[in-house]
Amino acid sequence: MLVKKLWTDQRIEDIVGNLLRTGVSLSAFVVLCGAAIYLVRHGLSPANYRIFYGEPSDLRSLHGIVRGARGLHSRAIIQLGLLLLIATPVARVAFSIFGFAAERDRLYVLFTVVVLAVLAFSLLGLA
């Protein structure tokens, strides 16, 4: 009697592909919404290229970005979209750990955990 494997390589590849597509599409949509709001509110303002204004301090933390996005602040929404774009490959690596574990491939689980640790280490500014 043949037992059908629930997690095949093809199924995992399909899920990872859909995860990447969805993450990038969602990110692009969020950035586009933020850009549209920004242009509606500031599109006719003259640009002053002599003075550089950096990112406000409230948009340098996850809490500040989410709070600003809830308040429909355009720059915070754009930042949120960029965070979603950065989170997409991290989610792919995290799902790969699950997929390799389901296939009982311990060596690839170990390698992927190391990759996730390096990503987390560098994204958290510890590198």
Side-chain angles (χ1 to χ4, degrees), residues 7-124:
W7 292 101
T8 63
D9 287 342
Q10 184 61 46
R11 182 161 185 233
I12 291 172
E13 286 178 21
D14 290 344
I15 292 171
V16 166
N18 288 333
L19 176 70
L20 292 173
R21 245 185 315 281
T22 302
V24 170
S25 299
L26 179 63
S27 171
F29 178 73
V30 171
V31 169
L32 183 66
C33 289
I37 293 170
Y38 185 85
L39 288 175
V40 165
R41 293 182 181 165
H42 307 287
L44 298 176
S45 301
N48 184 0
Y49 295 113
R50 294 183 184 268
I51 301 172
F52 175 75
Y53 297 103
E55 202 61 44
S57 60
D58 59 337
L59 295 182
R60 293 182 189 167
S61 69
L62 181 60
H63 178 69
I65 292 170
V66 171
R67 188 178 57 227
R70 281 186 187 159
L72 294 180
H73 299 288
S74 58
R75 292 172 74 180
I77 294 172
I78 293 169
Q79 287 283 80
L80 181 64
L82 295 176
L83 285 177
L84 288 171
L85 185 63
I86 291 169
T88 299
V90 175
R92 180 237 188 267
V93 172
F95 178 78
S96 295
I97 292 171
F98 172 76
F100 291 135
E103 290 182 334
R104 301 182 197 278
D105 194 340
R106 291 185 182 131
L107 186 61
Y108 278 107
V109 168
L110 176 67
F111 289 150
T112 311
V113 166
V114 169
V115 169
L116 185 61
V118 169
L119 281 171
F121 191 73
S122 64
L123 287 174
L124 295 175

